[in-house]
mmCIF file of all heavy atoms in Angstrom:
data_model
loop_
_atom_site.group_PDB
_atom_site.id
_atom_site.type_symbol
_atom_site.label_atom_id
_atom_site.label_comp_id
_atom_site.label_asym_id
_atom_site.label_seq_id
_atom_site.Cartn_x
_atom_site.Cartn_y
_atom_site.Cartn_z
ATOM 1 N N LEU A 1 0.829 -1.190 0.000
ATOM 2 C CA LEU A 1 0.000 0.000 0.000
ATOM 3 C C LEU A 1 0.866 1.244 0.000
ATOM 4 O O LEU A 1 1.879 1.309 0.686
ATOM 5 C CB LEU A 1 -0.923 -0.015 1.230
ATOM 6 C CG LEU A 1 -1.900 -1.199 1.270
ATOM 7 C CD1 LEU A 1 -2.412 -1.389 2.680
ATOM 8 C CD2 LEU A 1 -3.048 -0.958 0.328
ATOM 9 N N ASN A 2 0.437 2.264 -0.754
ATOM 10 C CA ASN A 2 1.205 3.485 -0.863
ATOM 11 C C ASN A 2 0.738 4.557 0.121
ATOM 12 O O ASN A 2 1.513 5.374 0.573
ATOM 13 C CB ASN A 2 1.124 4.055 -2.281
ATOM 14 C CG ASN A 2 1.803 3.133 -3.283
ATOM 15 O OD1 ASN A 2 2.735 2.434 -2.926
ATOM 16 N ND2 ASN A 2 1.331 3.131 -4.514
ATOM 17 N N ASN A 3 -0.552 4.566 0.428
ATOM 18 C CA ASN A 3 -1.100 5.556 1.331
ATOM 19 C C ASN A 3 -0.874 5.117 2.774
ATOM 20 O O ASN A 3 -1.321 4.051 3.187
ATOM 21 C CB ASN A 3 -2.601 5.732 1.054
ATOM 22 C CG ASN A 3 -3.200 6.839 1.907
ATOM 23 O OD1 ASN A 3 -3.286 6.701 3.117
ATOM 24 N ND2 ASN A 3 -3.606 7.916 1.256
ATOM 25 N N THR A 4 -0.163 5.917 3.564
ATOM 26 C CA THR A 4 0.234 5.493 4.909
ATOM 27 C C THR A 4 -0.947 5.200 5.803
ATOM 28 O O THR A 4 -0.983 4.191 6.504
ATOM 29 C CB THR A 4 1.107 6.586 5.558
ATOM 30 O OG1 THR A 4 2.215 6.841 4.711
ATOM 31 C CG2 THR A 4 1.601 6.122 6.929
ATOM 32 N N ASN A 5 -1.947 6.073 5.806
ATOM 33 C CA ASN A 5 -3.101 5.868 6.690
ATOM 34 C C ASN A 5 -3.839 4.578 6.360
ATOM 35 O O ASN A 5 -4.227 3.810 7.236
ATOM 36 C CB ASN A 5 -4.060 7.050 6.594
ATOM 37 C CG ASN A 5 -3.432 8.321 7.144
ATOM 38 O OD1 ASN A 5 -2.596 8.257 8.037
ATOM 39 N ND2 ASN A 5 -3.834 9.467 6.600
ATOM 40 N N ILE A 6 -4.031 4.349 5.064
ATOM 41 C CA ILE A 6 -4.734 3.135 4.645
ATOM 42 C C ILE A 6 -3.903 1.907 4.992
ATOM 43 O O ILE A 6 -4.422 0.883 5.412
ATOM 44 C CB ILE A 6 -5.011 3.174 3.137
ATOM 45 C CG1 ILE A 6 -5.887 4.381 2.803
ATOM 46 C CG2 ILE A 6 -5.689 1.896 2.667
ATOM 47 C CD1 ILE A 6 -6.039 4.626 1.328
ATOM 48 N N THR A 7 -2.571 2.031 4.839
ATOM 49 C CA THR A 7 -1.690 0.910 5.177
ATOM 50 C C THR A 7 -1.897 0.467 6.609
ATOM 51 O O THR A 7 -2.013 -0.719 6.898
ATOM 52 C CB THR A 7 -0.215 1.315 4.995
ATOM 53 O OG1 THR A 7 -0.031 1.792 3.678
ATOM 54 C CG2 THR A 7 0.700 0.147 5.264
ATOM 55 N N GLN A 8 -1.938 1.407 7.523
ATOM 56 C CA GLN A 8 -2.090 1.058 8.926
ATOM 57 C C GLN A 8 -3.434 0.397 9.193
ATOM 58 O O GLN A 8 -3.547 -0.497 10.023
ATOM 59 C CB GLN A 8 -1.933 2.305 9.799
ATOM 60 C CG GLN A 8 -0.627 3.066 9.573
ATOM 61 C CD GLN A 8 0.569 2.137 9.452
ATOM 62 O OE1 GLN A 8 0.797 1.325 10.332
ATOM 63 N NE2 GLN A 8 1.325 2.263 8.364
ATOM 64 N N LYS A 9 -4.483 0.820 8.479
ATOM 65 C CA LYS A 9 -5.796 0.205 8.667
ATOM 66 C C LYS A 9 -5.799 -1.244 8.195
ATOM 67 O O LYS A 9 -6.327 -2.137 8.854
ATOM 68 C CB LYS A 9 -6.872 1.002 7.917
ATOM 69 C CG LYS A 9 -7.103 2.380 8.519
ATOM 70 C CD LYS A 9 -8.144 3.155 7.714
ATOM 71 C CE LYS A 9 -8.338 4.555 8.307
ATOM 72 N NZ LYS A 9 -9.316 5.336 7.526
ATOM 73 N N ILE A 10 -5.197 -1.469 7.022
ATOM 74 C CA ILE A 10 -5.131 -2.843 6.517
ATOM 75 C C ILE A 10 -4.250 -3.694 7.421
ATOM 76 O O ILE A 10 -4.562 -4.844 7.722
ATOM 77 C CB ILE A 10 -4.587 -2.866 5.075
ATOM 78 C CG1 ILE A 10 -5.529 -2.071 4.153
ATOM 79 C CG2 ILE A 10 -4.459 -4.297 4.581
ATOM 80 C CD1 ILE A 10 -6.920 -2.640 4.076
ATOM 81 N N ALA A 11 -3.117 -3.145 7.873
ATOM 82 C CA ALA A 11 -2.255 -3.878 8.792
ATOM 83 C C ALA A 11 -3.023 -4.250 10.054
ATOM 84 O O ALA A 11 -2.914 -5.364 10.562
ATOM 85 C CB ALA A 11 -1.036 -3.032 9.154
ATOM 86 N N GLY A 12 -3.802 -3.297 10.549
ATOM 87 C CA GLY A 12 -4.613 -3.581 11.730
ATOM 88 C C GLY A 12 -5.608 -4.687 11.499
ATOM 89 O O GLY A 12 -5.870 -5.508 12.377
ATOM 90 N N GLU A 13 -6.185 -4.719 10.289
ATOM 91 C CA GLU A 13 -7.148 -5.770 9.960
ATOM 92 C C GLU A 13 -6.501 -7.152 10.063
ATOM 93 O O GLU A 13 -7.069 -8.088 10.608
ATOM 94 C CB GLU A 13 -7.677 -5.576 8.528
ATOM 95 C CG GLU A 13 -8.741 -4.514 8.417
ATOM 96 C CD GLU A 13 -10.031 -4.980 9.055
ATOM 97 O OE1 GLU A 13 -10.458 -6.108 8.782
ATOM 98 O OE2 GLU A 13 -10.602 -4.216 9.848
ATOM 99 N N ILE A 14 -5.286 -7.280 9.512
ATOM 100 C CA ILE A 14 -4.602 -8.575 9.516
ATOM 101 C C ILE A 14 -4.137 -8.931 10.924
ATOM 102 O O ILE A 14 -4.323 -10.051 11.393
ATOM 103 C CB ILE A 14 -3.402 -8.545 8.545
ATOM 104 C CG1 ILE A 14 -3.920 -8.394 7.102
ATOM 105 C CG2 ILE A 14 -2.546 -9.793 8.676
ATOM 106 C CD1 ILE A 14 -2.826 -8.227 6.084
ATOM 107 N N ILE A 15 -3.545 -7.974 11.616
ATOM 108 C CA ILE A 15 -3.001 -8.250 12.942
ATOM 109 C C ILE A 15 -4.108 -8.501 13.952
ATOM 110 O O ILE A 15 -3.929 -9.216 14.928
ATOM 111 C CB ILE A 15 -2.089 -7.082 13.381
ATOM 112 C CG1 ILE A 15 -0.855 -7.033 12.476
ATOM 113 C CG2 ILE A 15 -1.671 -7.199 14.834
ATOM 114 C CD1 ILE A 15 -0.019 -5.805 12.625
ATOM 115 N N ALA A 16 -5.287 -7.920 13.723
ATOM 116 C CA ALA A 16 -6.402 -8.071 14.662
ATOM 117 C C ALA A 16 -6.848 -9.517 14.815
ATOM 118 O O ALA A 16 -7.512 -9.861 15.782
ATOM 119 C CB ALA A 16 -7.581 -7.212 14.214
ATOM 120 N N LYS A 17 -6.494 -10.377 13.850
ATOM 121 C CA LYS A 17 -6.863 -11.780 13.954
ATOM 122 C C LYS A 17 -6.127 -12.463 15.105
ATOM 123 O O LYS A 17 -6.538 -13.517 15.563
ATOM 124 C CB LYS A 17 -6.537 -12.516 12.639
ATOM 125 C CG LYS A 17 -7.354 -12.036 11.464
ATOM 126 C CD LYS A 17 -7.061 -12.861 10.233
ATOM 127 C CE LYS A 17 -5.648 -12.704 9.754
ATOM 128 N NZ LYS A 17 -5.373 -13.444 8.517
ATOM 129 N N ASN A 18 -5.040 -11.854 15.546
ATOM 130 C CA ASN A 18 -4.250 -12.454 16.619
ATOM 131 C C ASN A 18 -4.519 -11.751 17.948
ATOM 132 O O ASN A 18 -5.361 -10.864 18.040
ATOM 133 C CB ASN A 18 -2.756 -12.370 16.273
ATOM 134 C CG ASN A 18 -2.436 -13.177 15.047
ATOM 135 O OD1 ASN A 18 -2.167 -14.357 15.145
ATOM 136 N ND2 ASN A 18 -2.477 -12.548 13.875
ATOM 137 N N LYS A 19 -3.798 -12.165 18.968
ATOM 138 C CA LYS A 19 -4.005 -11.586 20.284
ATOM 139 C C LYS A 19 -3.657 -10.099 20.281
ATOM 140 O O LYS A 19 -2.754 -9.664 19.600
ATOM 141 C CB LYS A 19 -3.134 -12.321 21.306
ATOM 142 C CG LYS A 19 -3.546 -13.769 21.510
ATOM 143 C CD LYS A 19 -2.686 -14.416 22.580
ATOM 144 C CE LYS A 19 -3.126 -15.860 22.807
ATOM 145 N NZ LYS A 19 -2.323 -16.520 23.850
ATOM 146 N N THR A 20 -4.380 -9.343 21.082
ATOM 147 C CA THR A 20 -4.163 -7.911 21.157
ATOM 148 C C THR A 20 -2.782 -7.600 21.713
ATOM 149 O O THR A 20 -2.063 -6.760 21.206
ATOM 150 C CB THR A 20 -5.234 -7.260 22.042
ATOM 151 O OG1 THR A 20 -6.522 -7.589 21.528
ATOM 152 C CG2 THR A 20 -5.068 -5.750 22.067
ATOM 153 N N GLU A 21 -2.412 -8.294 22.784
ATOM 154 C CA GLU A 21 -1.126 -8.044 23.405
ATOM 155 C C GLU A 21 -0.057 -8.961 22.792
ATOM 156 O O GLU A 21 -0.346 -10.069 22.386
ATOM 157 C CB GLU A 21 -1.215 -8.286 24.913
ATOM 158 C CG GLU A 21 -2.317 -7.510 25.600
ATOM 159 C CD GLU A 21 -2.202 -6.004 25.412
ATOM 160 O OE1 GLU A 21 -1.216 -5.537 24.824
ATOM 161 O OE2 GLU A 21 -3.114 -5.297 25.848
ATOM 162 N N PRO A 22 1.191 -8.487 22.746
ATOM 163 C CA PRO A 22 2.252 -9.301 22.146
ATOM 164 C C PRO A 22 2.565 -10.537 22.978
ATOM 165 O O PRO A 22 2.472 -10.519 24.200
ATOM 166 C CB PRO A 22 3.443 -8.343 22.097
ATOM 167 C CG PRO A 22 3.179 -7.361 23.183
ATOM 168 C CD PRO A 22 1.692 -7.187 23.224
ATOM 169 N N VAL A 23 2.919 -11.592 22.286
ATOM 170 C CA VAL A 23 3.381 -12.816 22.941
ATOM 171 C C VAL A 23 4.767 -13.119 22.384
ATOM 172 O O VAL A 23 4.924 -13.355 21.191
ATOM 173 C CB VAL A 23 2.424 -13.994 22.675
ATOM 174 C CG1 VAL A 23 2.980 -15.256 23.311
ATOM 175 C CG2 VAL A 23 1.040 -13.694 23.213
ATOM 176 N N THR A 24 5.768 -13.089 23.243
ATOM 177 C CA THR A 24 7.144 -13.322 22.818
ATOM 178 C C THR A 24 7.756 -14.438 23.651
ATOM 179 O O THR A 24 7.778 -14.356 24.879
ATOM 180 C CB THR A 24 7.994 -12.040 22.983
ATOM 181 O OG1 THR A 24 7.374 -10.971 22.274
ATOM 182 C CG2 THR A 24 9.396 -12.256 22.439
ATOM 183 N N VAL A 25 8.232 -15.470 22.973
ATOM 184 C CA VAL A 25 8.906 -16.577 23.649
ATOM 185 C C VAL A 25 10.295 -16.711 23.032
ATOM 186 O O VAL A 25 10.428 -17.105 21.871
ATOM 187 C CB VAL A 25 8.122 -17.893 23.506
ATOM 188 C CG1 VAL A 25 8.887 -19.025 24.185
ATOM 189 C CG2 VAL A 25 6.726 -17.757 24.101
ATOM 190 N N CYS A 26 11.311 -16.367 23.792
ATOM 191 C CA CYS A 26 12.691 -16.483 23.323
ATOM 192 C C CYS A 26 13.368 -17.644 24.043
ATOM 193 O O CYS A 26 13.289 -17.748 25.267
ATOM 194 C CB CYS A 26 13.455 -15.189 23.577
ATOM 195 S SG CYS A 26 12.883 -13.792 22.567
ATOM 196 N N LYS A 27 14.010 -18.511 23.273
ATOM 197 C CA LYS A 27 14.657 -19.686 23.846
ATOM 198 C C LYS A 27 16.128 -19.718 23.456
ATOM 199 O O LYS A 27 16.491 -19.358 22.336
ATOM 200 C CB LYS A 27 13.957 -20.964 23.366
ATOM 201 C CG LYS A 27 12.525 -21.090 23.858
ATOM 202 C CD LYS A 27 11.920 -22.431 23.439
ATOM 203 C CE LYS A 27 10.494 -22.558 23.952
ATOM 204 N NZ LYS A 27 9.890 -23.858 23.570
ATOM 205 N N MET A 28 16.943 -20.183 24.375
ATOM 206 C CA MET A 28 18.376 -20.315 24.142
ATOM 207 C C MET A 28 18.735 -21.796 24.178
ATOM 208 O O MET A 28 18.717 -22.424 25.240
ATOM 209 C CB MET A 28 19.167 -19.544 25.203
ATOM 210 C CG MET A 28 18.964 -18.039 25.123
ATOM 211 S SD MET A 28 19.885 -17.140 26.414
ATOM 212 C CE MET A 28 18.912 -17.588 27.854
ATOM 213 N N LEU A 29 19.021 -22.363 23.004
ATOM 214 C CA LEU A 29 19.421 -23.753 22.902
ATOM 215 C C LEU A 29 20.949 -23.838 22.860
ATOM 216 O O LEU A 29 21.644 -22.821 22.816
ATOM 217 C CB LEU A 29 18.804 -24.385 21.655
ATOM 218 C CG LEU A 29 17.278 -24.281 21.534
ATOM 219 C CD1 LEU A 29 16.817 -24.942 20.236
ATOM 220 C CD2 LEU A 29 16.583 -24.900 22.733
ATOM 221 N N GLU A 30 21.453 -25.050 22.836
ATOM 222 C CA GLU A 30 22.912 -25.224 22.828
ATOM 223 C C GLU A 30 23.556 -24.611 21.595
ATOM 224 O O GLU A 30 24.642 -24.037 21.662
ATOM 225 C CB GLU A 30 23.263 -26.712 22.897
ATOM 226 C CG GLU A 30 23.120 -27.334 24.269
ATOM 227 C CD GLU A 30 23.695 -28.733 24.305
ATOM 228 O OE1 GLU A 30 23.029 -29.655 23.798
ATOM 229 O OE2 GLU A 30 24.813 -28.906 24.827
ATOM 230 N N ARG A 31 22.887 -24.741 20.461
ATOM 231 C CA ARG A 31 23.492 -24.305 19.204
ATOM 232 C C ARG A 31 22.761 -23.135 18.544
ATOM 233 O O ARG A 31 23.203 -22.631 17.519
ATOM 234 C CB ARG A 31 23.539 -25.471 18.222
ATOM 235 C CG ARG A 31 24.713 -26.411 18.404
ATOM 236 C CD ARG A 31 26.044 -25.687 18.344
ATOM 237 N NE ARG A 31 27.117 -26.496 17.801
ATOM 238 C CZ ARG A 31 28.375 -26.112 17.710
ATOM 239 N NH1 ARG A 31 28.716 -24.923 18.122
ATOM 240 N NH2 ARG A 31 29.289 -26.908 17.204
#
């Protein structure tokens, strides 16, 4: 999308399918 405002609305549409708050799981393996 070229229009910034519209971009954020479409991004919100896609992201809204997931949880509102971020979920981050970082793991440290041997390698």
Side-chain angles (χ1 to χ4, degrees):
L1 298 161
N2 294 330
N3 184 292
T4 304
N5 294 330
I6 300 171
T7 305
Q8 305 317 306
K9 292 178 182 179
I10 299 298
E13 281 289 312
I14 294 175
I15 293 169
K17 295 184 295 183
N18 296 273
K19 294 183 179 181
T20 304
E21 306 302 355
V23 177
T24 305
V25 178
C26 292
K27 295 184 179 181
M28 294 179 288
L29 305 179
E30 283 189 283
R31 277 304 211 183

